[in-house]
PDB file of all heavy atoms in Angstrom:
ATOM      1  N   LYS A 555      14.266 -44.629  11.653  1.00  0.00           N
ATOM      2  CA  LYS A 555      13.602 -45.919  11.903  1.00  0.00           C
ATOM      3  C   LYS A 555      13.368 -46.127  13.427  1.00  0.00           C
ATOM      4  O   LYS A 555      14.317 -46.134  14.216  1.00  0.00           O
ATOM      5  CB  LYS A 555      14.400 -47.066  11.298  1.00  0.00           C
ATOM      6  CG  LYS A 555      13.630 -48.379  11.342  1.00  0.00           C
ATOM      7  CD  LYS A 555      14.356 -49.477  10.631  1.00  0.00           C
ATOM      8  CE  LYS A 555      13.585 -50.778  10.780  1.00  0.00           C
ATOM      9  NZ  LYS A 555      14.271 -51.889  10.245  1.00  0.00           N
ATOM     10  N   GLY A 556      12.081 -46.321  13.759  1.00  0.00           N
ATOM     11  CA  GLY A 556      11.731 -46.663  15.137  1.00  0.00           C
ATOM     12  C   GLY A 556      11.856 -45.495  16.115  1.00  0.00           C
ATOM     13  O   GLY A 556      11.738 -45.635  17.294  1.00  0.00           O
ATOM     14  N   ARG A 557      12.109 -44.267  15.619  1.00  0.00           N
ATOM     15  CA  ARG A 557      12.394 -43.100  16.461  1.00  0.00           C
ATOM     16  C   ARG A 557      11.180 -42.166  16.576  1.00  0.00           C
ATOM     17  O   ARG A 557      10.324 -42.087  15.705  1.00  0.00           O
ATOM     18  CB  ARG A 557      13.542 -42.302  15.876  1.00  0.00           C
ATOM     19  CG  ARG A 557      14.824 -43.048  15.767  1.00  0.00           C
ATOM     20  CD  ARG A 557      15.273 -43.520  17.122  1.00  0.00           C
ATOM     21  NE  ARG A 557      16.626 -43.988  17.114  1.00  0.00           N
ATOM     22  CZ  ARG A 557      17.440 -44.009  18.149  1.00  0.00           C
ATOM     23  NH1 ARG A 557      16.980 -43.607  19.326  1.00  0.00           N
ATOM     24  NH2 ARG A 557      18.663 -44.447  18.072  1.00  0.00           N
ATOM     25  N   GLU A 558      11.159 -41.463  17.728  1.00  0.00           N
ATOM     26  CA  GLU A 558      10.135 -40.401  17.913  1.00  0.00           C
ATOM     27  C   GLU A 558      10.869 -39.086  17.636  1.00  0.00           C
ATOM     28  O   GLU A 558      11.808 -38.747  18.337  1.00  0.00           O
ATOM     29  CB  GLU A 558       9.624 -40.443  19.362  1.00  0.00           C
ATOM     30  CG  GLU A 558       8.887 -41.764  19.617  1.00  0.00           C
ATOM     31  CD  GLU A 558       8.695 -42.044  21.088  1.00  0.00           C
ATOM     32  OE1 GLU A 558       9.189 -41.240  21.946  1.00  0.00           O
ATOM     33  OE2 GLU A 558       8.056 -43.042  21.467  1.00  0.00           O
ATOM     34  N   ILE A 559      10.454 -38.388  16.636  1.00  0.00           N
ATOM     35  CA  ILE A 559      11.268 -37.239  16.152  1.00  0.00           C
ATOM     36  C   ILE A 559      10.438 -35.986  16.066  1.00  0.00           C
ATOM     37  O   ILE A 559       9.233 -36.002  15.854  1.00  0.00           O
ATOM     38  CB  ILE A 559      11.934 -37.521  14.778  1.00  0.00           C
ATOM     39  CG1 ILE A 559      10.890 -37.780  13.693  1.00  0.00           C
ATOM     40  CG2 ILE A 559      12.916 -38.687  14.906  1.00  0.00           C
ATOM     41  CD1 ILE A 559      11.470 -37.889  12.311  1.00  0.00           C
ATOM     42  N   VAL A 560      11.186 -34.834  16.178  1.00  0.00           N
ATOM     43  CA  VAL A 560      10.593 -33.515  15.890  1.00  0.00           C
ATOM     44  C   VAL A 560      11.263 -32.988  14.639  1.00  0.00           C
ATOM     45  O   VAL A 560      12.517 -33.007  14.537  1.00  0.00           O
ATOM     46  CB  VAL A 560      10.861 -32.545  17.053  1.00  0.00           C
ATOM     47  CG1 VAL A 560      10.771 -31.069  16.592  1.00  0.00           C
ATOM     48  CG2 VAL A 560       9.864 -32.730  18.158  1.00  0.00           C
ATOM     49  N   ILE A 561      10.447 -32.556  13.690  1.00  0.00           N
ATOM     50  CA  ILE A 561      11.013 -31.873  12.514  1.00  0.00           C
ATOM     51  C   ILE A 561      10.653 -30.369  12.618  1.00  0.00           C
ATOM     52  O   ILE A 561       9.544 -30.022  12.990  1.00  0.00           O
ATOM     53  CB  ILE A 561      10.552 -32.446  11.164  1.00  0.00           C
ATOM     54  CG1 ILE A 561       9.033 -32.563  11.058  1.00  0.00           C
ATOM     55  CG2 ILE A 561      11.227 -33.805  10.902  1.00  0.00           C
ATOM     56  CD1 ILE A 561       8.560 -32.900   9.683  1.00  0.00           C
ATOM     57  N   CYS A 562      11.660 -29.549  12.328  1.00  0.00           N
ATOM     58  CA  CYS A 562      11.444 -28.125  12.397  1.00  0.00           C
ATOM     59  C   CYS A 562      11.312 -27.518  10.989  1.00  0.00           C
ATOM     60  O   CYS A 562      12.143 -27.824  10.105  1.00  0.00           O
ATOM     61  CB  CYS A 562      12.615 -27.430  13.123  1.00  0.00           C
ATOM     62  SG  CYS A 562      12.611 -27.778  14.865  1.00  0.00           S
ATOM     63  N   GLU A 563      10.289 -26.733  10.811  1.00  0.00           N
ATOM     64  CA  GLU A 563       9.986 -26.127   9.492  1.00  0.00           C
ATOM     65  C   GLU A 563       9.867 -24.616   9.683  1.00  0.00           C
ATOM     66  O   GLU A 563       9.495 -24.146  10.785  1.00  0.00           O
ATOM     67  CB  GLU A 563       8.671 -26.754   8.971  1.00  0.00           C
ATOM     68  CG  GLU A 563       8.087 -26.203   7.728  1.00  0.00           C
ATOM     69  CD  GLU A 563       8.940 -26.439   6.473  1.00  0.00           C
ATOM     70  OE1 GLU A 563      10.064 -25.966   6.467  1.00  0.00           O
ATOM     71  OE2 GLU A 563       8.411 -27.032   5.522  1.00  0.00           O
ATOM     72  N   ASP A 564      10.090 -23.814   8.671  1.00  0.00           N
ATOM     73  CA  ASP A 564       9.964 -22.376   8.813  1.00  0.00           C
ATOM     74  C   ASP A 564       8.511 -21.909   8.923  1.00  0.00           C
ATOM     75  O   ASP A 564       8.156 -21.102   9.777  1.00  0.00           O
ATOM     76  CB  ASP A 564      10.673 -21.616   7.687  1.00  0.00           C
ATOM     77  CG  ASP A 564      10.164 -22.049   6.306  1.00  0.00           C
ATOM     78  OD1 ASP A 564       9.212 -21.407   5.828  1.00  0.00           O
ATOM     79  OD2 ASP A 564      10.668 -23.016   5.742  1.00  0.00           O
ATOM     80  N   SER A 565       7.674 -22.449   8.022  1.00  0.00           N
ATOM     81  CA  SER A 565       6.269 -22.023   8.006  1.00  0.00           C
ATOM     82  C   SER A 565       5.443 -23.106   7.281  1.00  0.00           C
ATOM     83  O   SER A 565       6.004 -23.942   6.613  1.00  0.00           O
ATOM     84  CB  SER A 565       6.089 -20.702   7.286  1.00  0.00           C
ATOM     85  OG  SER A 565       6.681 -20.777   5.960  1.00  0.00           O
ATOM     86  N   ILE A 566       4.118 -23.004   7.437  1.00  0.00           N
ATOM     87  CA  ILE A 566       3.262 -23.923   6.680  1.00  0.00           C
ATOM     88  C   ILE A 566       2.280 -23.075   5.872  1.00  0.00           C
ATOM     89  O   ILE A 566       1.564 -22.252   6.462  1.00  0.00           O
ATOM     90  CB  ILE A 566       2.433 -24.869   7.613  1.00  0.00           C
ATOM     91  CG1 ILE A 566       3.339 -25.540   8.628  1.00  0.00           C
ATOM     92  CG2 ILE A 566       1.737 -25.900   6.735  1.00  0.00           C
ATOM     93  CD1 ILE A 566       2.570 -26.481   9.572  1.00  0.00           C
TER      94      ILE A 566
END
Side-chain angles (χ1 to χ4, degrees):
K555 189 174 175 184
R557 300 298 193 156
E558 296 163 358
I559 61 173
V560 157
I561 52 169
C562 290
E563 174 67 300
D564 57 90
S565 56
I566 310 178

